Amino acid sequence: MQKSPSEKTKLPHGWRQVALEKIASVISGQSPTSDTYRKEPEGLPFFQGKAGFGQVSPTARVWCVAPKTIAKPGDILISVRAPVGPTNVADVECCIGRGLAAIRCGNSVERDFVLFFMKFHEHEISQMGTGSTFGAISRKHLLNIQIPLPSLPEQKRVVAVLNKQMAAVEVARGAALERVEAARALPSAWLREVFSFGGGGLPRGWRWATLGDICEKISTRDPRKKSKESFVYVDISSIDRIQKRIVSPVSMTGENAPSRAKKIIKKDDVLVSTTRPNLNAVAIVPENLDNQICSTGFCVLRPSASLHSEFLFYFTRTETFIESVSNLVQGALYPAVTDRQILSEPIPLPPLTEQKRLISSLNAKMATTEKIRVAAEAELEAITALPAALLREAFSGAL
């Protein structure tokens, strides 16, 4: 079993290490019988595990009229079964099931000091879990967790500073998240500028065509018939849906090829996923994947001489195309569209020279947008890491 959190930590001057059982009681949850559950508010809110956990306190989805274990407002709720470690604070009296325990702090300790400690050491606490089927931590193990404690006034000071800092971090994180979402929305905005025509019809020189009219037929082969044949396979997991490119194709041989590995792909083919959850998964085939194989879960669009592959690629990324294809999805067990349906989709087609001009403009905008997105995501990642750094300072006595 993993050692208790902070067991090897050198304590700051004036701090002492105390087992949780000396400063708090731990109440193990018990699950009531299912006939006492209610879907509408009646009895007490019932939390079986961390499913209802929020940023601070859980949100009730189920209620119980005959609770076995009750947590009080202010109790720390900790998930003790798959996953072990996540915490919340009960804001009302509630019923807790076997997936949770309630930590009820005594007067000698500041509740939020213990809560911050549990959050800081969540990973180590999760490693204390045992069980082959799913991880779980016992009440005994929780009680034995060693907590470094300064004086009560110092605990209160540390908590006050942390609460202020964490609130500022959350504001910054929210703003950074908005910037990430705005950056991710920009490509669709650029595409709307090119492919939205309102009620005025197509620009002069453009025409409507179906994808089937301007895309060439593709061929297939079954690599399983040649067990030693090596090839590179592209399936839905190979596509980065944000960057819209193939990032993780898999090298394999015919003997371990899946039955869906059949469609031959060529350089500049455009792959369009045909399954409902993945209709926005599109990508253009790079040169290093020429003459390789993709899953039958893609419609392979191979542009003819009148259609530039990048123009086609950008069109398949538009909200209009994705929405139109989505409306064609059929099937309950495996909701998808067929290749024939996709090939029947209309595309607004300008002359080849205009396609190239639009591609050049879009490429420049997308490159700038990608830099903005990467920077915004890096900022968000840095801000997301701040709470751990602040907690590290707090429990090293440096705050």
Coordinates of all heavy atoms in Angstrom, one line a residue, residues 45-132:
P45 N -31.4 14.7 -0.3 CA -30.6 14.5 -1.5 C -29.7 13.3 -1.3 O -29.2 13.1 -0.2 CB -29.8 15.8 -1.6 CG -30.5 16.8 -0.9 CD -31.2 16.1 0.2
F46 N -29.6 12.4 -2.3 CA -28.8 11.2 -2.1 C -27.6 11.2 -3.1 O -27.8 11.4 -4.3 CB -29.7 10.0 -2.4 CG -28.9 8.7 -2.4 CD1 -28.0 8.4 -1.4 CD2 -29.1 7.8 -3.5 CE1 -27.3 7.1 -1.5 CE2 -28.5 6.6 -3.5 CZ -27.5 6.2 -2.5
F47 N -26.4 11.0 -2.6 CA -25.2 11.0 -3.4 C -24.5 9.6 -3.2 O -24.1 9.3 -2.1 CB -24.3 12.1 -3.0 CG -24.9 13.5 -3.1 CD1 -25.2 14.2 -2.0 CD2 -25.2 14.0 -4.4 CE1 -25.8 15.5 -2.1 CE2 -25.8 15.2 -4.5 CZ -26.1 16.0 -3.3
Q48 N -24.5 8.8 -4.3 CA -23.9 7.5 -4.2 C -22.4 7.5 -4.4 O -21.7 6.8 -3.8 CB -24.5 6.6 -5.3 CG -24.0 5.2 -5.4 CD -24.5 4.4 -4.2 OE1 -23.9 4.4 -3.1 NE2 -25.6 3.6 -4.3
G49 N -21.9 8.5 -5.2 CA -20.5 8.6 -5.4 C -20.2 10.0 -5.9 O -21.0 11.0 -5.6
K50 N -19.2 10.2 -6.7 CA -18.8 11.6 -7.1 C -19.6 12.1 -8.3 O -19.3 13.2 -8.8 CB -17.3 11.6 -7.4 CG -16.9 10.9 -8.6 CD -15.6 11.4 -9.2 CE -15.9 12.7 -10.0 NZ -14.8 13.3 -10.7
A51 N -20.5 11.3 -8.8 CA -21.2 11.7 -10.1 C -21.9 13.0 -10.0 O -21.9 13.8 -11.0 CB -22.3 10.6 -10.4
G52 N -22.4 13.4 -8.8 CA -23.0 14.7 -8.7 C -22.1 15.8 -8.2 O -22.6 16.9 -8.0
F53 N -20.8 15.5 -8.1 CA -19.9 16.5 -7.6 C -19.8 17.7 -8.5 O -19.8 17.6 -9.7 CB -18.5 16.0 -7.4 CG -18.3 15.2 -6.1 CD1 -19.3 14.8 -5.3 CD2 -17.0 14.9 -5.7 CE1 -19.2 14.1 -4.1 CE2 -16.8 14.2 -4.5 CZ -17.9 13.8 -3.7
G54 N -19.7 18.9 -7.9 CA -19.5 20.2 -8.7 C -18.2 20.8 -8.4 O -17.3 20.1 -7.8
Q55 N -18.1 22.1 -8.7 CA -16.8 22.8 -8.4 C -16.6 22.8 -6.9 O -15.4 22.7 -6.4 CB -16.9 24.2 -8.9 CG -15.6 25.0 -8.9 CD -14.6 24.5 -9.9 OE1 -15.0 23.8 -10.9 NE2 -13.3 24.8 -9.6
V56 N -17.7 23.0 -6.1 CA -17.5 23.1 -4.6 C -18.4 22.1 -3.9 O -18.0 21.3 -3.1 CB -17.8 24.5 -4.1 CG1 -17.8 24.6 -2.6 CG2 -16.9 25.6 -4.7
S57 N -19.7 22.1 -4.3 CA -20.7 21.2 -3.6 C -21.4 20.4 -4.7 O -21.5 20.8 -5.9 CB -21.7 22.0 -2.8 OG -21.0 22.7 -1.8
P58 N -22.0 19.2 -4.3 CA -22.6 18.4 -5.3 C -24.0 18.9 -5.6 O -24.6 19.7 -4.8 CB -22.7 17.0 -4.5 CG -22.7 17.4 -3.1 CD -21.9 18.6 -2.9
T59 N -24.6 18.4 -6.7 CA -25.9 18.8 -7.1 C -26.8 17.5 -7.1 O -26.4 16.5 -7.7 CB -25.9 19.4 -8.6 OG1 -25.1 20.6 -8.6 CG2 -27.3 19.7 -9.0
A60 N -27.9 17.5 -6.5 CA -28.7 16.4 -6.3 C -29.4 16.0 -7.6 O -30.0 16.8 -8.3 CB -29.8 16.6 -5.2
R61 N -29.4 14.7 -7.9 CA -30.2 14.1 -9.0 C -31.2 13.1 -8.6 O -32.1 12.7 -9.2 CB -29.2 13.5 -10.1 CG -28.2 14.5 -10.6 CD -27.2 13.8 -11.5 NE -26.1 14.7 -11.9 CZ -25.0 14.3 -12.5 NH1 -24.8 13.0 -12.8 NH2 -24.1 15.1 -12.9
V62 N -30.9 12.6 -7.4 CA -31.7 11.5 -6.7 C -31.9 11.9 -5.3 O -31.0 12.5 -4.7 CB -31.0 10.1 -6.8 CG1 -31.9 9.1 -6.2 CG2 -30.8 9.8 -8.3
W63 N -33.1 11.5 -4.7 CA -33.4 11.7 -3.3 C -33.7 10.4 -2.7 O -34.0 9.4 -3.3 CB -34.6 12.7 -3.2 CG -34.2 14.1 -3.6 CD1 -34.0 15.1 -2.7 CD2 -34.1 14.7 -4.9 NE1 -33.7 16.3 -3.4 CE2 -33.7 16.0 -4.7 CE3 -34.2 14.1 -6.2 CZ2 -33.5 16.9 -5.8 CZ3 -34.0 15.0 -7.2 CH2 -33.6 16.3 -7.1
C64 N -33.6 10.4 -1.3 CA -33.9 9.1 -0.6 C -34.8 9.5 0.6 O -34.6 10.4 1.3 CB -32.6 8.5 -0.1 SG -32.8 7.1 0.9
V65 N -35.8 8.6 0.8 CA -36.8 8.8 1.9 C -36.4 8.0 3.1 O -37.1 8.2 4.2 CB -38.2 8.5 1.4 CG1 -38.7 9.4 0.3 CG2 -38.3 7.0 0.9
A66 N -35.4 7.1 3.0 CA -35.0 6.3 4.2 C -33.5 6.2 4.2 O -33.0 5.1 4.0 CB -35.7 4.9 4.1
P67 N -32.8 7.3 4.5 CA -31.4 7.3 4.4 C -30.8 6.5 5.6 O -31.3 6.4 6.6 CB -31.0 8.8 4.6 CG -32.2 9.4 5.3 CD -33.4 8.6 4.8
K68 N -29.6 5.8 5.3 CA -28.9 5.1 6.3 C -27.8 5.9 6.9 O -27.5 5.8 8.1 CB -28.4 3.8 5.7 CG -29.5 2.7 5.4 CD -28.9 1.4 5.0 CE -29.9 0.4 4.8 NZ -29.4 -1.0 4.4
T69 N -27.1 6.6 6.1 CA -26.0 7.5 6.5 C -26.2 8.9 6.1 O -26.5 9.2 4.9 CB -24.6 7.0 6.0 OG1 -24.4 5.6 6.4 CG2 -23.5 7.8 6.6
I70 N -26.1 9.8 7.1 CA -26.4 11.2 6.8 C -25.2 12.1 7.0 O -24.5 12.0 8.0 CB -27.6 11.7 7.6 CG1 -28.9 11.0 7.3 CG2 -27.8 13.3 7.5 CD1 -30.0 11.3 8.2
A71 N -24.9 12.9 6.0 CA -23.8 13.9 6.1 C -24.5 15.2 6.4 O -25.6 15.5 6.0 CB -23.0 14.0 4.8
K72 N -23.7 16.0 7.2 CA -24.3 17.3 7.6 C -23.7 18.4 6.8 O -22.6 18.3 6.2 CB -23.9 17.5 9.1 CG -24.6 16.6 10.1 CD -24.2 16.9 11.5 CE -24.9 16.0 12.5 NZ -24.5 16.3 13.9
P73 N -24.4 19.6 6.7 CA -23.8 20.7 6.0 C -22.4 21.0 6.5 O -22.2 21.1 7.8 CB -24.8 21.8 6.3 CG -26.1 21.1 6.6 CD -25.7 19.9 7.3
G74 N -21.4 21.2 5.6 CA -20.1 21.5 6.0 C -19.2 20.3 6.1 O -17.9 20.4 6.1
D75 N -19.7 19.1 6.0 CA -18.9 17.9 6.0 C -18.1 17.9 4.7 O -18.7 18.2 3.6 CB -19.7 16.6 6.1 CG -20.2 16.4 7.5 OD1 -19.8 17.1 8.4 OD2 -21.0 15.4 7.7
I76 N -16.9 17.4 4.7 CA -16.2 17.1 3.5 C -16.6 15.8 2.9 O -16.5 14.8 3.7 CB -14.6 17.1 3.7 CG1 -14.2 18.4 4.2 CG2 -13.9 16.7 2.5 CD1 -12.7 18.4 4.7
L77 N -17.1 15.7 1.7 CA -17.4 14.5 1.1 C -16.3 14.0 0.2 O -15.8 14.7 -0.6 CB -18.7 14.6 0.2 CG -19.9 15.2 0.9 CD1 -21.1 15.3 -0.1 CD2 -20.3 14.4 2.1
I78 N -15.8 12.8 0.4 CA -14.7 12.2 -0.3 C -15.1 10.9 -1.0 O -15.8 10.1 -0.4 CB -13.5 12.0 0.6 CG1 -12.3 11.5 -0.3 CG2 -13.8 11.1 1.8 CD1 -11.0 11.5 0.4
S79 N -14.8 10.8 -2.3 CA -15.1 9.6 -3.0 C -14.1 8.5 -2.6 O -12.9 8.7 -2.6 CB -14.9 9.9 -4.5 OG -15.2 8.7 -5.3
V80 N -14.7 7.4 -2.2 CA -13.9 6.3 -1.6 C -13.9 5.1 -2.5 O -13.2 4.1 -2.2 CB -14.3 5.9 -0.2 CG1 -14.1 7.0 0.7 CG2 -15.8 5.5 -0.2
R81 N -14.6 5.1 -3.7 CA -14.6 4.0 -4.6 C -14.6 4.5 -6.0 O -15.4 5.3 -6.4 CB -15.9 3.2 -4.4 CG -16.2 2.7 -3.0 CD -17.4 1.9 -2.9 NE -17.2 0.5 -3.2 CZ -18.1 -0.4 -3.3 NH1 -19.4 -0.1 -3.2 NH2 -17.8 -1.7 -3.6
A82 N -13.7 4.1 -6.8 CA -13.6 4.3 -8.2 C -14.3 5.5 -8.8 O -15.4 5.4 -9.2 CB -14.1 3.0 -8.9
P83 N -13.7 6.7 -8.7 CA -12.4 6.9 -8.3 C -12.2 7.3 -6.8 O -13.2 7.7 -6.2 CB -12.0 8.2 -9.1 CG -13.3 8.9 -9.2 CD -14.4 7.9 -9.3
V84 N -11.0 7.0 -6.3 CA -10.7 7.4 -4.9 C -10.1 8.8 -4.9 O -9.2 9.1 -5.7 CB -9.8 6.4 -4.3 CG1 -9.3 6.8 -2.9 CG2 -10.4 5.0 -4.2
G85 N -10.6 9.6 -4.0 CA -9.9 10.9 -3.8 C -10.6 12.2 -4.0 O -10.4 13.1 -3.3
P86 N -11.5 12.3 -5.1 CA -12.1 13.6 -5.3 C -13.0 14.0 -4.1 O -13.6 13.2 -3.4 CB -13.0 13.3 -6.5 CG -12.3 12.2 -7.3 CD -11.7 11.4 -6.2
T87 N -13.1 15.3 -3.9 CA -13.8 15.9 -2.7 C -14.8 16.9 -3.1 O -14.6 17.6 -4.2 CB -12.8 16.5 -1.7 OG1 -11.9 17.4 -2.4 CG2 -11.9 15.4 -1.1
N88 N -15.8 17.1 -2.3 CA -16.7 18.2 -2.4 C -17.1 18.5 -0.9 O -16.7 17.8 0.0 CB -18.0 17.8 -3.2 CG -18.1 18.5 -4.5 OD1 -19.2 18.6 -5.1 ND2 -17.0 19.0 -5.1
V89 N -17.9 19.6 -0.8 CA -18.4 19.9 0.6 C -19.9 19.9 0.6 O -20.6 20.4 -0.3 CB -17.9 21.4 1.0 CG1 -18.6 21.8 2.3 CG2 -16.4 21.4 1.1
A90 N -20.5 19.2 1.5 CA -22.0 19.1 1.6 C -22.5 20.5 2.0 O -22.1 21.1 3.0 CB -22.4 18.1 2.7
D91 N -23.4 21.0 1.2 CA -24.0 22.3 1.6 C -25.4 22.2 2.2 O -25.9 23.2 2.7 CB -24.1 23.2 0.3 CG -24.9 22.6 -0.8 OD1 -25.2 21.4 -0.8 OD2 -25.2 23.3 -1.8
V92 N -25.9 21.0 2.2 CA -27.2 20.7 2.9 C -27.0 19.3 3.5 O -26.1 18.5 3.2 CB -28.4 20.6 1.9 CG1 -28.6 22.0 1.3 CG2 -28.2 19.6 0.8
E93 N -27.9 19.0 4.4 CA -28.0 17.6 5.0 C -28.3 16.7 3.8 O -29.2 16.9 3.0 CB -29.1 17.5 6.1 CG -29.0 16.3 6.9 CD -30.0 16.3 8.1 OE1 -31.2 16.3 7.8 OE2 -29.5 16.4 9.2
C94 N -27.6 15.6 3.8 CA -27.8 14.7 2.6 C -27.5 13.2 3.0 O -26.8 12.9 4.0 CB -26.9 15.1 1.4 SG -25.2 15.2 1.8
C95 N -28.0 12.3 2.2 CA -27.7 10.9 2.4 C -26.5 10.5 1.5 O -26.5 10.9 0.3 CB -29.0 10.1 2.0 SG -28.7 8.3 1.8
I96 N -25.6 9.7 2.0 CA -24.4 9.3 1.2 C -24.4 7.8 1.2 O -24.6 7.1 2.2 CB -23.1 9.8 1.8 CG1 -22.9 9.5 3.2 CG2 -23.1 11.4 1.6 CD1 -21.5 9.8 3.7
G97 N -24.1 7.3 0.0 CA -24.0 5.8 -0.3 C -22.6 5.3 -0.1 O -21.7 6.0 0.4
R98 N -22.4 4.1 -0.5 CA -21.1 3.4 -0.2 C -19.9 4.0 -1.0 O -18.8 3.8 -0.6 CB -21.2 1.9 -0.6 CG -22.0 1.1 0.4 CD -22.0 -0.4 0.0 NE -22.6 -0.6 -1.3 CZ -22.7 -1.7 -2.0 NH1 -22.1 -2.8 -1.4 NH2 -23.3 -1.8 -3.2
G99 N -20.2 4.8 -2.0 CA -19.1 5.4 -2.8 C -18.5 6.6 -2.1 O -17.5 7.2 -2.6
L100 N -19.1 7.1 -1.0 CA -18.6 8.3 -0.4 C -18.4 8.1 1.1 O -18.9 7.1 1.7 CB -19.6 9.4 -0.5 CG -20.0 9.9 -1.9 CD1 -21.0 11.0 -1.8 CD2 -18.7 10.5 -2.6
A101 N -17.6 8.9 1.7 CA -17.4 9.0 3.1 C -17.5 10.5 3.5 O -17.2 11.4 2.6 CB -16.1 8.4 3.6
A102 N -17.9 10.8 4.7 CA -18.0 12.2 5.2 C -16.9 12.4 6.2 O -16.8 11.6 7.2 CB -19.4 12.5 5.7
I103 N -16.2 13.5 6.0 CA -15.1 13.9 7.0 C -15.7 15.1 7.8 O -16.0 16.1 7.2 CB -13.8 14.2 6.3 CG1 -13.3 13.0 5.6 CG2 -12.8 14.7 7.4 CD1 -12.0 13.3 4.7
R104 N -15.9 14.9 9.1 CA -16.5 15.9 9.9 C -15.4 16.4 10.9 O -15.0 15.8 11.8 CB -17.7 15.4 10.7 CG -18.5 16.4 11.4 CD -19.8 15.8 11.9 NE -20.6 15.3 10.8 CZ -21.5 14.3 10.8 NH1 -21.8 13.7 12.0 NH2 -22.2 13.9 9.8
C105 N -14.9 17.6 10.6 CA -13.8 18.2 11.3 C -14.2 18.7 12.7 O -15.4 19.2 12.9 CB -13.2 19.3 10.6 SG -12.4 18.8 9.0
G106 N -13.3 18.6 13.7 CA -13.6 19.0 15.1 C -13.2 20.5 15.2 O -12.8 21.2 14.2
N107 N -13.3 21.0 16.4 CA -13.0 22.4 16.7 C -11.5 22.8 16.6 O -11.2 24.0 16.6 CB -13.6 22.8 18.0 CG -15.1 22.7 18.1 OD1 -15.8 22.9 17.0 ND2 -15.7 22.4 19.2
S108 N -10.7 21.8 16.7 CA -9.2 22.1 16.7 C -8.6 22.3 15.3 O -7.4 22.5 15.2 CB -8.5 21.0 17.4 OG -8.6 19.8 16.7
V109 N -9.4 22.2 14.3 CA -8.9 22.3 12.9 C -9.8 23.1 12.1 O -11.1 23.1 12.3 CB -8.7 20.9 12.3 CG1 -10.0 20.2 12.1 CG2 -7.9 21.0 11.0
E110 N -9.3 23.9 11.1 CA -10.1 24.6 10.2 C -10.5 23.7 9.0 O -9.6 23.1 8.4 CB -9.2 25.8 9.6 CG -9.9 26.6 8.5 CD -11.0 27.5 9.1 OE1 -11.1 27.6 10.3 OE2 -11.7 28.1 8.3
R111 N -11.8 23.5 8.8 CA -12.3 22.6 7.8 C -11.6 22.7 6.4 O -11.2 21.8 5.8 CB -13.8 22.7 7.7 CG -14.5 21.6 6.9 CD -14.6 21.8 5.4 NE -14.9 23.1 5.0 CZ -16.2 23.6 4.8 NH1 -17.2 22.9 5.1 NH2 -16.3 24.9 4.3
D112 N -11.5 24.0 6.0 CA -11.0 24.2 4.6 C -9.5 23.9 4.5 O -9.0 23.6 3.5 CB -11.3 25.6 4.2 CG -12.7 25.8 3.7 OD1 -13.5 24.8 3.7 OD2 -13.1 27.0 3.4
F113 N -8.8 24.0 5.7 CA -7.4 23.6 5.7 C -7.3 22.1 5.3 O -6.5 21.7 4.5 CB -6.8 23.9 7.0 CG -5.3 23.7 7.0 CD1 -4.4 24.8 6.7 CD2 -4.7 22.5 7.4 CE1 -3.1 24.6 6.7 CE2 -3.3 22.4 7.4 CZ -2.5 23.4 7.0
V114 N -8.1 21.3 6.0 CA -8.2 19.8 5.7 C -8.6 19.6 4.2 O -8.1 18.8 3.5 CB -9.1 19.1 6.7 CG1 -9.2 17.6 6.3 CG2 -8.6 19.3 8.1
L115 N -9.6 20.3 3.8 CA -10.1 20.2 2.4 C -9.0 20.5 1.4 O -8.8 19.7 0.4 CB -11.3 21.1 2.2 CG -11.9 21.1 0.8 CD1 -12.5 19.8 0.5 CD2 -13.0 22.2 0.7
F116 N -8.3 21.6 1.6 CA -7.2 21.9 0.7 C -6.1 20.8 0.7 O -5.5 20.5 -0.3 CB -6.6 23.3 1.0 CG -7.3 24.5 0.5 CD1 -7.7 25.5 1.4 CD2 -7.7 24.5 -0.8 CE1 -8.4 26.6 0.9 CE2 -8.4 25.6 -1.3 CZ -8.7 26.7 -0.4
F117 N -5.8 20.3 1.9 CA -4.8 19.2 2.0 C -5.3 18.0 1.2 O -4.5 17.4 0.5 CB -4.6 18.8 3.5 CG -3.7 17.6 3.6 CD1 -2.4 17.8 3.7 CD2 -4.2 16.4 3.8 CE1 -1.5 16.7 3.8 CE2 -3.4 15.3 3.9 CZ -2.0 15.4 3.9
M118 N -6.6 17.6 1.3 CA -7.1 16.5 0.6 C -7.0 16.7 -0.9 O -6.7 15.8 -1.7 CB -8.5 16.1 1.0 CG -8.7 15.9 2.5 SD -7.7 14.5 3.2 CE -8.8 13.1 2.8
K119 N -7.3 17.9 -1.3 CA -7.2 18.2 -2.8 C -5.8 18.1 -3.3 O -5.5 17.6 -4.4 CB -7.8 19.6 -3.1 CG -9.3 19.7 -2.9 CD -9.8 21.1 -3.3 CE -11.4 21.1 -3.2 NZ -12.0 20.2 -4.2
F120 N -4.9 18.7 -2.5 CA -3.5 18.7 -2.8 C -2.9 17.3 -3.0 O -2.1 17.0 -3.9 CB -2.7 19.5 -1.8 CG -1.2 19.6 -2.1 CD1 -0.7 20.0 -3.4 CD2 -0.3 19.4 -1.1 CE1 0.6 20.1 -3.6 CE2 1.1 19.5 -1.4 CZ 1.5 19.9 -2.6
H121 N -3.4 16.4 -2.1 CA -2.8 15.0 -2.1 C -3.8 14.0 -2.7 O -3.8 12.8 -2.4 CB -2.5 14.6 -0.7 CG -1.3 15.3 -0.1 ND1 0.0 15.0 -0.5 CD2 -1.2 16.3 0.8 CE1 0.8 15.8 0.2 NE2 0.1 16.6 0.9
E122 N -4.7 14.5 -3.6 CA -5.7 13.6 -4.2 C -5.1 12.4 -4.9 O -5.6 11.3 -4.7 CB -6.6 14.4 -5.1 CG -7.7 13.6 -5.8 CD -8.7 14.4 -6.7 OE1 -9.0 15.5 -6.3 OE2 -9.0 13.8 -7.7
H123 N -4.1 12.7 -5.7 CA -3.4 11.6 -6.4 C -2.9 10.5 -5.4 O -3.0 9.3 -5.6 CB -2.3 12.1 -7.3 CG -1.6 11.0 -8.0 ND1 -2.2 10.3 -9.1 CD2 -0.3 10.5 -7.9 CE1 -1.3 9.4 -9.5 NE2 -0.2 9.5 -8.8
E124 N -2.1 11.0 -4.4 CA -1.6 10.0 -3.5 C -2.7 9.2 -2.7 O -2.5 8.1 -2.4 CB -0.7 10.8 -2.5 CG 0.6 11.3 -3.1 CD 1.0 12.6 -2.5 OE1 0.5 13.7 -2.9 OE2 1.8 12.6 -1.5
I125 N -3.7 9.9 -2.4 CA -4.9 9.3 -1.7 C -5.4 8.2 -2.6 O -5.8 7.1 -2.2 CB -5.9 10.3 -1.3 CG1 -5.4 11.2 -0.1 CG2 -7.2 9.6 -0.8 CD1 -6.2 12.3 0.2
S126 N -5.5 8.5 -3.9 CA -6.1 7.5 -4.9 C -5.2 6.3 -4.9 O -5.7 5.2 -5.2 CB -6.2 8.2 -6.3 OG -5.0 8.4 -6.9
Q127 N -3.9 6.5 -4.8 CA -3.0 5.4 -4.8 C -3.1 4.5 -3.6 O -2.6 3.3 -3.6 CB -1.5 5.9 -5.0 CG -1.2 6.7 -6.2 CD -1.6 5.9 -7.5 OE1 -1.0 4.8 -7.7 NE2 -2.4 6.4 -8.3
M128 N -3.7 5.0 -2.5 CA -3.9 4.2 -1.3 C -5.1 3.2 -1.5 O -5.3 2.3 -0.7 CB -4.2 5.1 -0.1 CG -3.1 6.0 0.2 SD -3.6 7.2 1.5 CE -4.0 6.1 2.9
G129 N -5.9 3.4 -2.6 CA -7.0 2.5 -2.9 C -6.5 1.1 -3.1 O -5.5 0.8 -3.7
T130 N -7.3 0.1 -2.8 CA -7.1 -1.3 -3.0 C -8.2 -1.9 -3.7 O -9.3 -1.4 -3.7 CB -6.8 -2.0 -1.7 OG1 -8.0 -1.9 -0.8 CG2 -5.6 -1.5 -0.9
G131 N -8.0 -3.1 -4.3 CA -9.1 -3.9 -4.9 C -8.7 -4.1 -6.4 O -8.2 -3.2 -7.1
S132 N -9.0 -5.3 -6.8 CA -8.6 -5.7 -8.2 C -9.7 -5.3 -9.2 O -9.3 -4.9 -10.3 CB -8.4 -7.2 -8.3 OG -9.6 -7.9 -7.9

